[in-house]
Amino acid sequence: MYDSIVIGAGIAGSTVARQLAEKKGHKVLVVEKRDHIGGNCYDRPDAYGILVHEYGPHIFHTNMEDVFAYLSGFTEWILYENGHQVVANVDGRLIPVPFNLNTLHMIYDKETADVLEKKLKDTYGEGSRVPIMKLREDPDEQIQAIAQYVYENVFLKYTMKQWGQTPEEISPEVTGRVPVLISYDNRYFQDKYQGVPKHGFLAMFHRMLDHENITVRTGTDAKELLEFREQEICFEGQPFKGNVIFTGALDELYDCKYGRLPYRSLEFAFEHLEQEDFQDGHSVVNYTVSEDFTRITEFKYLTRQEDANGTTIVREYPFAYTGAEGEIPYYAIMNPENEALYRKYEKLAQQHANLYLLGRLAEYKYYNIDAMTKKALELADSLPGC
Ligand SMILES: Cc1cc2nc3c(=O)[nH]c(=O)nc-3n(C[C@H](O)[C@H](O)[C@H](O)COP(=O)(O)OP(=O)(O)OC[C@H]3O[C@@H](n4cnc5c(N)ncnc54)[C@H](O)[C@@H]3O)c2cc1C
């Protein structure tokens, strides 16, 4: 009845399902355990009519022309003219992050800042992106002082809150995602396209999955329909020879038989305020030296909603995922030990020639929306048509 079964209706599952249905003529079943599609990109109007991102603020950003063109087939965009900009609240003062030359001039007097600016440009080159851990190793005392300021005021406490570990303990890949910029660029991302779908992410996902060859079943855990026996996958009790594309957590697929893969989770505390503005026009403010939460998002600035009455904000409180009912695994904690555990699960999955692992959970790694879309397009391309 189905040529492919896709587990999970996030960006990975929805992209691969659409491509297989449209380009390969597959009859596709999409199974999603939540009661909605869209995965973590899901958005909805709250009780006050303000569009909120249920699982944390999502901004689409990319340099990939093909991915931008592909998703533009399902949505128009609100593109940010000046990119997505983030500030950090450091003892009540708002400074641009990533730390850049504007930030430098805010914290030093002009004369000192000019000298430091020249030094940074001479050492690393104008426009370069320097990981904080690299900057800390610079032999120059003045550069080391800047590095120490950035480390203490932008990274240390924030990383401890987000990951429960110091910047030294986590993967350099993670700290490298927010480098020091040797430029006056206040944008959080340097990508060409940055913004949100004009009518919201959910509308985009509805259009992606709206195809005659696609059937979507929400509120259904794949394990209710599929059984992963040795060598064989069964669908509703019968051996299934089509493709199974799994975008959920791999350890949970195998009942965590080797132990749980560690993740960081988040609690989102939404609040509606009967005031026009809460953060002085800033969509995202990071709290890098104080508070238990990592950041506050004010949605109407993120989505550019002009008809909002009052304002809705969300605070994010990270914690260690335990697998308890209602918790969601958000960020894989990448280190050699966890990756070795992941490989054990991957080996189990390799028993099934028709099982494909795709997505931030199934692959146990961080992906942005654009990279995830690209990966899903590539997987669909690699599978044979009917
Ligand atoms: C707080 C936060 C903020 C982010 N912000 C950005 C951003 O600004 N820009 C950006 O590009 N990226 C952002 N990301 C990353 C982005 O969320 C991911 O790239 C994207 O969600 C990955 O899509 P996915 O389909 O792999 O996973 P998901 O979106 O998690 O989708 C997987 C789906 O599979 C379902 N599922 C799992 N197991 C089963 C099962 N057994 N049966 C049925 N269904 C199942 C889940 O319910 C889920 O809906 C952010 C991530 C987080 C956590």
Side-chain angles (χ1 to χ4, degrees):
M1 195 170 150
Y2 296 111
D3 303 299
S4 294
I5 299 176
V6 175
I7 299 163
I11 193 69
S14 301
T15 304
V16 80
R18 177 71 189 212
Q19 282 299 93
L20 290 176
E22 190 172 315
K23 299 280 184 287
K24 302 285 166 108
H26 288 198
K27 293 270 181 231
V28 183
L29 173 66
V30 178
V31 184
E32 168 55 58
K33 69 178 174 185
R34 294 177 186 170
D35 62 5
H36 60 76
I37 58 171
N40 285 346
C41 299
Y42 172 71
D43 52 14
R44 60 169 175 91
D46 69 3
Y48 308 91
I50 295 179
L51 188 67
V52 298
H53 293 183
E54 180 90 10
Y55 306 100
H58 278 71
I59 299 111
F60 176 69
H61 56 99
T62 194
N63 275 328
M64 294 184 224
E65 295 289 347
D66 54 344
V67 169
F68 182 70
Y70 179 74
L71 292 179
S72 299
F74 306 104
T75 187
E76 293 171 67
W77 301 96
I78 295 171
L79 292 174
Y80 303 155
E81 323 72 59
N82 299 315
H84 174 53
Q85 302 202 5
V86 176
V87 291
N89 183 317
V90 177
D91 300 322
R93 190 173 177 202
L94 299 182
I95 60 168
V97 279
F99 188 97
N100 61 39
L101 296 178
N102 289 314
T103 330
L104 184 80
H105 282 268
M106 282 175 81
I107 62 165
Y108 290 97
D109 62 73
K110 176 153 178 20
E111 206 177 313
T112 317
D114 283 345
V115 173
L116 293 174
E117 176 177 337
K118 184 170 183 319
K119 239 182 203 181
L120 285 168
K121 283 181 177 167
D122 289 348
T123 313
Y124 297 101
E126 190 163 0
S128 58
R129 304 157 57 85
V130 190
I132 180 63
M133 300 319 244
K134 185 171 172 205
L135 201 68
R136 289 191 90 200
E137 287 165 8
D138 196 292
D140 184 279
E141 269 182 28
Q142 277 184 310
I143 292 184
Q144 259 187 33
I146 304 170
Q148 193 58 17
Y149 176 91
V150 179
Y151 179 80
E152 282 171 12
N153 291 287
V154 180
F155 279 91
L156 183 57
K157 179 107 200 264
Y158 191 87
T159 308
M160 289 298 295
K161 285 191 278 187
Q162 181 79 346
W163 295 99
Q165 290 175 311
T166 63
E168 289 76 14
E169 287 166 328
I170 62 173
S171 156
E173 199 188 294
V174 177
T175 44
R177 271 184 221 145
V178 187
V180 170
L181 299 184
I182 316 299
S183 73
Y184 284 95
D185 187 352
N186 274 346
R187 295 174 306 163
Y188 194 73
F189 309 113
Q190 274 60 54
D191 294 318
K192 176 172 175 191
Y193 303 106
Q194 306 189 22
V196 286
K198 188 169 180 187
H199 303 290
F201 278 102
L202 184 60
M204 180 182 91
F205 279 91
H206 274 301
R207 290 191 69 182
M208 291 177 83
L209 292 174
D210 181 15
H211 191 279
E212 57 184 0
N213 284 345
I214 300 179
T215 305
V216 180
R217 280 174 70 168
T218 52
T220 310
D221 193 310
K223 285 170 124 183
E224 293 168 28
L225 303 177
L226 293 156
E227 218 183 311
F228 292 81
R229 298 186 190 149
E230 250 177 64
Q231 314 293 336
E232 186 174 70
I233 303 175
C234 288
F235 171 58
E236 294 183 321
Q238 301 298 315
F240 181 74
K241 302 284 179 220
N243 309 299
V244 176
I245 295 123
F246 181 71
T247 75
L250 195 54
D251 54 345
E252 292 179 4
L253 183 66
Y254 295 106
D255 300 320
C256 301
K257 65 189 277 186
Y258 300 133
R260 273 200 180 280
L261 281 167
Y263 282 95
R264 293 297 282 175
S265 189
L266 293 167
E267 186 194 322
F268 295 103
F270 288 84
E271 190 179 357
H272 180 77
L273 303 162
E274 291 302 334
Q275 60 196 57
E276 278 317 297
D277 170 82
F278 180 72
Q279 311 197 121
D280 203 16
H282 296 288
S283 57
V284 178
V285 177
N286 287 359
Y287 285 76
T288 51
V289 291
S290 60
E291 315 302 339
D292 292 336
F293 50 86
T294 47
R295 58 179 174 175
I296 300 181
T297 299
E298 187 164 1
F299 285 104
K300 67 181 187 185
Y301 298 128
L302 196 80
T303 60
R304 305 282 159 95
Q305 187 172 348
E306 281 167 10
D307 64 353
N309 285 321
T311 194
T312 300
I313 60 171
V314 68
R315 294 180 173 83
E316 290 175 44
Y317 295 88
F319 63 95
Y321 174 71
T322 66
E325 186 74 23
E327 283 184 10
I328 295 176
Y330 284 111
Y331 299 109
I333 303 174
M334 288 166 72
N335 62 35
E337 192 186 336
N338 298 349
E339 278 159 34
L341 180 57
Y342 173 78
R343 297 284 162 230
K344 285 173 79 172
Y345 285 112
E346 192 184 41
K347 213 161 179 195
L348 282 182
Q350 282 164 356
Q351 292 179 105
H352 306 290
N354 57 338
L355 175 62
Y356 300 89
L357 304 178
L358 178 75
R360 61 177 197 94
L361 292 166
E363 297 180 60
Y364 197 65
K365 69 194 268 198
Y366 186 82
Y367 278 105
N368 281 320
I369 299 166
D370 64 336
M372 198 69 267
T373 309
K374 179 87 178 169
K375 189 90 195 284
L377 290 171
E378 286 169 358
L379 174 60
D381 276 353
S382 73
L383 296 175
C386 288

